[in-house]
Short mmCIF file of all heavy atoms in Angstrom, two decimals:
data_model
loop_
_atom_site.label_atom_id
_atom_site.label_comp_id
_atom_site.label_asym_id
_atom_site.label_seq_id
_atom_site.Cartn_x
_atom_site.Cartn_y
_atom_site.Cartn_z
N GLN F 6 68.24 58.40 83.06
CA GLN F 6 69.50 58.28 83.75
C GLN F 6 69.97 59.69 84.17
O GLN F 6 69.84 60.62 83.30
CB GLN F 6 70.66 57.58 83.01
CG GLN F 6 70.21 56.18 82.51
CD GLN F 6 70.05 55.31 83.64
OE1 GLN F 6 70.93 54.98 84.37
NE2 GLN F 6 68.85 54.75 83.84
N LEU F 7 70.58 59.84 85.31
CA LEU F 7 71.04 61.15 85.76
C LEU F 7 72.54 61.11 85.79
O LEU F 7 73.18 60.11 86.32
CB LEU F 7 70.47 61.51 87.14
CG LEU F 7 68.97 61.55 87.27
CD1 LEU F 7 68.55 62.00 88.68
CD2 LEU F 7 68.37 62.50 86.18
N GLY F 8 73.23 62.15 85.38
CA GLY F 8 74.65 62.32 85.55
C GLY F 8 74.93 63.43 86.51
O GLY F 8 74.05 64.17 86.96
N ALA F 9 76.18 63.55 87.00
CA ALA F 9 76.44 64.58 87.94
C ALA F 9 77.79 65.29 87.57
O ALA F 9 78.74 64.57 87.16
CB ALA F 9 76.60 63.98 89.38
N THR F 10 77.84 66.55 87.77
CA THR F 10 79.13 67.28 87.48
C THR F 10 79.96 66.99 88.67
O THR F 10 79.52 66.87 89.85
CB THR F 10 78.91 68.86 87.41
OG1 THR F 10 78.06 69.27 88.51
CG2 THR F 10 78.07 69.21 86.13
N ASN F 11 81.28 66.82 88.39
CA ASN F 11 82.17 66.31 89.39
C ASN F 11 83.18 67.44 89.84
O ASN F 11 84.32 67.11 90.17
CB ASN F 11 82.99 65.13 88.84
CG ASN F 11 83.64 64.33 89.97
OD1 ASN F 11 83.07 64.26 91.01
ND2 ASN F 11 84.72 63.63 89.61
N ILE F 12 82.71 68.62 89.90
CA ILE F 12 83.60 69.71 90.35
C ILE F 12 83.69 69.73 91.90
O ILE F 12 82.66 69.62 92.56
CB ILE F 12 83.06 71.14 89.93
CG1 ILE F 12 83.12 71.30 88.44
CG2 ILE F 12 83.87 72.24 90.59
CD1 ILE F 12 82.71 72.58 87.89
N PRO F 13 84.90 69.70 92.45
CA PRO F 13 85.05 69.56 93.89
C PRO F 13 84.46 70.75 94.64
O PRO F 13 84.37 71.88 94.20
CB PRO F 13 86.61 69.60 94.12
CG PRO F 13 87.14 69.19 92.83
CD PRO F 13 86.21 69.73 91.71
N ALA F 14 83.96 70.39 95.81
CA ALA F 14 83.38 71.46 96.72
C ALA F 14 84.51 72.49 97.10
O ALA F 14 85.66 72.10 97.08
CB ALA F 14 82.78 70.78 97.94
N VAL F 15 84.02 73.62 97.45
CA VAL F 15 84.97 74.68 97.86
C VAL F 15 84.70 74.89 99.38
O VAL F 15 83.62 75.36 99.74
CB VAL F 15 84.81 76.01 97.15
CG1 VAL F 15 85.63 77.15 97.67
CG2 VAL F 15 85.04 75.78 95.68
N ARG F 16 85.74 74.64 100.17
CA ARG F 16 85.50 74.60 101.67
C ARG F 16 86.16 75.74 102.41
O ARG F 16 86.32 75.64 103.64
CB ARG F 16 86.07 73.27 102.18
CG ARG F 16 85.28 72.09 101.62
CD ARG F 16 85.96 70.76 101.79
NE ARG F 16 87.22 70.74 101.07
CZ ARG F 16 88.05 69.67 101.09
NH1 ARG F 16 87.81 68.63 101.94
NH2 ARG F 16 89.11 69.60 100.41
N ALA F 17 86.57 76.80 101.73
CA ALA F 17 87.12 78.04 102.43
C ALA F 17 86.76 79.28 101.69
O ALA F 17 86.51 79.16 100.45
CB ALA F 17 88.62 77.78 102.60
N ALA F 18 86.77 80.34 102.41
CA ALA F 18 86.43 81.64 101.73
C ALA F 18 87.56 82.11 100.82
O ALA F 18 87.26 82.57 99.74
CB ALA F 18 86.23 82.68 102.80
N VAL F 19 88.76 81.92 101.23
CA VAL F 19 89.99 82.32 100.38
C VAL F 19 91.06 81.22 100.52
O VAL F 19 91.30 80.72 101.61
CB VAL F 19 90.57 83.66 101.01
CG1 VAL F 19 91.91 83.98 100.28
CG2 VAL F 19 89.58 84.81 100.78
N GLN F 20 91.61 80.90 99.31
CA GLN F 20 92.62 79.85 99.30
C GLN F 20 93.72 80.37 98.33
O GLN F 20 93.42 80.80 97.24
CB GLN F 20 92.05 78.52 98.76
CG GLN F 20 90.98 77.99 99.68
CD GLN F 20 90.46 76.62 99.12
OE1 GLN F 20 91.18 75.70 98.86
NE2 GLN F 20 89.12 76.53 98.94
N THR F 21 95.00 80.30 98.80
CA THR F 21 96.13 80.66 97.92
C THR F 21 97.18 79.62 97.92
O THR F 21 97.42 79.00 98.99
CB THR F 21 96.70 82.03 98.41
OG1 THR F 21 97.38 81.78 99.68
CG2 THR F 21 95.69 83.10 98.63
N GLY F 22 97.69 79.35 96.73
CA GLY F 22 98.77 78.34 96.59
C GLY F 22 100.11 78.80 97.02
O GLY F 22 101.06 78.02 96.97
N GLN F 23 100.26 80.10 97.28
CA GLN F 23 101.57 80.66 97.68
C GLN F 23 101.30 81.46 98.97
O GLN F 23 100.23 81.36 99.57
CB GLN F 23 102.16 81.57 96.57
CG GLN F 23 102.41 80.81 95.26
CD GLN F 23 102.75 81.75 94.17
OE1 GLN F 23 102.96 82.91 94.35
NE2 GLN F 23 102.91 81.24 92.98
N SER F 24 102.32 82.18 99.31
CA SER F 24 102.17 83.07 100.53
C SER F 24 101.23 84.22 100.24
O SER F 24 100.98 84.58 99.11
CB SER F 24 103.58 83.63 100.98
OG SER F 24 104.50 82.63 101.37
N LEU F 25 100.68 84.81 101.29
CA LEU F 25 99.75 85.81 101.19
C LEU F 25 100.32 87.08 101.95
O LEU F 25 100.49 87.05 103.13
CB LEU F 25 98.38 85.50 101.77
CG LEU F 25 97.24 86.46 101.64
CD1 LEU F 25 96.98 86.81 100.20
CD2 LEU F 25 95.97 85.89 102.23
N GLY F 26 100.67 88.05 101.13
CA GLY F 26 101.33 89.23 101.79
C GLY F 26 102.87 89.07 101.74
O GLY F 26 103.41 87.95 101.69
N VAL F 27 103.64 90.18 101.73
CA VAL F 27 105.04 90.12 101.73
C VAL F 27 105.65 91.07 102.89
O VAL F 27 104.98 92.06 103.28
CB VAL F 27 105.63 90.58 100.40
CG1 VAL F 27 105.34 89.56 99.27
CG2 VAL F 27 105.08 91.98 99.99
N MET F 28 106.83 90.76 103.26
CA MET F 28 107.45 91.58 104.34
C MET F 28 108.11 92.84 103.84
O MET F 28 109.38 92.95 103.67
CB MET F 28 108.48 90.64 105.11
CG MET F 28 107.84 89.67 106.03
SD MET F 28 106.88 90.38 107.35
CE MET F 28 108.10 91.18 108.28
N ARG F 29 107.34 93.86 103.50
CA ARG F 29 107.84 95.16 103.16
C ARG F 29 106.68 96.15 103.49
O ARG F 29 105.54 95.75 103.56
CB ARG F 29 108.18 95.21 101.63
CG ARG F 29 107.06 95.08 100.69
CD ARG F 29 107.49 95.45 99.31
NE ARG F 29 106.43 95.41 98.32
CZ ARG F 29 106.20 94.41 97.57
NH1 ARG F 29 106.95 93.32 97.59
NH2 ARG F 29 105.10 94.42 96.74
N PRO F 30 107.04 97.38 103.68
CA PRO F 30 106.03 98.42 103.95
C PRO F 30 104.86 98.36 102.95
O PRO F 30 105.15 98.40 101.72
CB PRO F 30 106.82 99.64 103.94
CG PRO F 30 108.21 99.34 104.27
CD PRO F 30 108.45 97.96 103.61
N GLY F 31 103.70 98.33 103.43
CA GLY F 31 102.51 98.27 102.54
C GLY F 31 102.25 96.89 102.00
O GLY F 31 101.39 96.79 101.05
N GLY F 32 103.03 95.85 102.25
CA GLY F 32 102.88 94.59 101.67
C GLY F 32 102.01 93.60 102.49
O GLY F 32 102.07 92.38 102.20
N GLU F 33 101.21 94.12 103.42
CA GLU F 33 100.39 93.19 104.16
C GLU F 33 99.32 92.59 103.47
O GLU F 33 98.90 93.07 102.32
CB GLU F 33 99.79 94.00 105.45
CG GLU F 33 98.81 95.03 105.03
CD GLU F 33 99.43 96.38 104.80
OE1 GLU F 33 100.74 96.44 104.68
OE2 GLU F 33 98.74 97.43 104.74
N SER F 34 98.73 91.50 103.85
CA SER F 34 97.68 90.80 103.14
C SER F 34 96.48 91.72 103.04
O SER F 34 96.11 92.40 103.93
CB SER F 34 97.28 89.56 103.92
OG SER F 34 96.08 89.16 103.53
N PRO F 35 95.89 91.75 101.73
CA PRO F 35 94.70 92.65 101.52
C PRO F 35 93.44 91.84 101.73
O PRO F 35 92.42 92.32 101.25
CB PRO F 35 94.96 93.04 100.06
CG PRO F 35 95.58 91.85 99.43
CD PRO F 35 96.41 91.14 100.49
N VAL F 36 93.46 90.74 102.37
CA VAL F 36 92.28 89.92 102.44
C VAL F 36 91.59 89.91 103.84
O VAL F 36 92.29 89.76 104.90
CB VAL F 36 92.66 88.47 102.13
CG1 VAL F 36 91.47 87.53 102.32
CG2 VAL F 36 93.08 88.30 100.68
N LEU F 37 90.32 90.10 103.86
CA LEU F 37 89.47 89.94 105.13
C LEU F 37 88.29 89.02 104.72
O LEU F 37 87.67 89.12 103.71
CB LEU F 37 89.01 91.26 105.63
CG LEU F 37 89.99 92.18 106.27
CD1 LEU F 37 89.38 93.52 106.64
CD2 LEU F 37 90.70 91.55 107.60
N THR F 38 88.03 88.07 105.64
CA THR F 38 86.94 87.14 105.43
C THR F 38 85.88 87.10 106.48
O THR F 38 86.22 87.39 107.67
CB THR F 38 87.47 85.70 105.20
OG1 THR F 38 88.13 85.33 106.48
CG2 THR F 38 88.53 85.65 104.06
N HIS F 39 84.65 86.79 106.09
CA HIS F 39 83.58 86.56 107.00
C HIS F 39 83.10 85.14 106.63
O HIS F 39 83.05 84.70 105.45
CB HIS F 39 82.42 87.54 106.73
CG HIS F 39 82.75 88.98 106.83
ND1 HIS F 39 82.42 89.78 107.94
CD2 HIS F 39 83.49 89.82 106.06
CE1 HIS F 39 82.83 90.96 107.68
NE2 HIS F 39 83.45 91.06 106.60
#
């Protein structure tokens, strides 16, 4: 019998549960994706 790990797939390069970057000098998002 075969079992399978049930970890969900990851469908994006970067995911954040909150905002990314803040509105102040030097607070821009530090993320770039390919």
Side-chain angles (χ1 to χ4, degrees):
Q6 304 293 298
L7 302 182
T10 52
N11 199 27
I12 294 182
V15 175
R16 296 167 291 178
V19 173
Q20 303 180 50
T21 67
Q23 300 175 5
S24 296
L25 184 57
V27 294
M28 285 298 294
R29 66 167 183 262
E33 66 271 13
S34 163
V36 173
L37 288 174
T38 62
H39 304 253

